[in-house]
Amino acid sequence: LIPGVWLIARSLNMEPSFYGLILRSLGVAMGCMTSMVLAHVGMTSNDVLVSIPFVWAMGLAMLASTDSPIGQARSAKSVDRLLLGSGAMLGASVALKLSNLPLAPILLVFWALPAGSIALRIRRIGLAVAAATGAAVLIYGYWGWVLTKRFGNPIFPIMDGHFEWLRNLIGVS
C-alpha cells in the first residue's frame, strides 16, 4: 500500500527539496492511516488488501501525466508502459473484488491526461483498457471457471437466479 500511495504523493508534489520529501511523507502517512479508520467502520482487512492494486493503478496513471523526476517530459514509450501497468493493476483490483469495478471510470480520466493528440489519447485509453481486461481475465478466469463448474455461476453467490440457463447448459444442479 505504501509504495502505491507514495506514487500518488510524488505525482502531486515533485519538489526535489527536503520540504517536498516531508510533504510527500506526511501525505503517505495520512493516506495509510485511512486504513485504520476503515477498520472502525466495519470493513475487513481484506477490503484494504484488495484495494492495493487500485492504489497502484491510480499512482501509475497519475505518474504517467507528470514529468520525469529529472524534470524532462516522459517519452511516449514510458507513458505507454505506465498506462499498461495502470490498466493491469486495475484489472487485478477488479478480479480480486468485483465491487471495485464502479471505480474504473475514474481511471479513464487519468489515462486521458498525458499529453498528446486526441487519437493518441484514445489509443492509450484502449491500451490500458485492454491491459485491465487481460489482467482481470488472467486473475479471475480460473476462479470463475471453478465456480462455474461447481455451482453453475461464475460469480457465485451473486445474481444466482440469472445463471439458471448456465446451470442447465453444463448440467449442474
Side-chain angles (χ1 to χ4, degrees):
L1 181 64
I2 292 174
V5 176
W6 181 263
L7 285 177
I8 293 171
R10 191 173 95 186
S11 65
L12 292 173
N13 179 357
M14 297 193 64
E15 185 176 324
S17 68
F18 182 70
Y19 177 71
L21 176 70
I22 295 298
L23 285 178
R24 288 188 296 275
S25 299
L26 287 172
V28 168
M30 288 173 25
C32 291
M33 281 190 246
T34 59
S35 302
M36 296 178 346
V37 173
L38 290 176
H40 295 291
V41 177
M43 295 183 134
T44 64
S45 62
N46 183 55
D47 294 324
V48 176
L49 289 176
V50 299
S51 71
I52 292 173
F54 186 79
V55 171
W56 271 93
M58 189 74 132
L60 291 172
M62 291 175 76
L63 200 58
S65 63
T66 62
D67 291 338
S68 69
I70 57 173
Q72 297 175 346
R74 292 190 187 280
S75 69
K77 284 188 177 188
S78 173
V79 171
D80 288 349
R81 282 192 301 267
L82 287 168
L83 294 180
L84 272 173
S86 175
M89 287 293 124
L90 174 65
S93 174
V94 170
L96 294 172
K97 187 169 184 180
L98 295 176
S99 63
N100 285 343
L101 186 60
L103 299 173
I106 295 168
L107 282 174
L108 290 173
V109 173
F110 284 100
W111 292 339
L113 285 179
S117 66
I118 301 264
L120 180 61
R121 291 175 189 220
I122 291 171
R123 185 189 70 77
R124 285 179 173 159
I125 290 172
L127 195 67
V129 167
T133 304
V137 167
L138 281 175
I139 293 170
Y140 191 77
Y142 176 72
W143 181 241
W145 179 251
V146 168
L147 289 174
T148 301
K149 294 298 279 180
R150 180 160 177 129
F151 302 109
N153 179 349
I155 54 174
F156 183 80
I158 301 169
M159 296 189 295
D160 199 41
H162 295 291
F163 290 97
E164 186 72 33
W165 64 271
L166 184 59
R167 281 192 290 281
N168 294 335
L169 182 71
I170 63 174
V172 175
S173 55

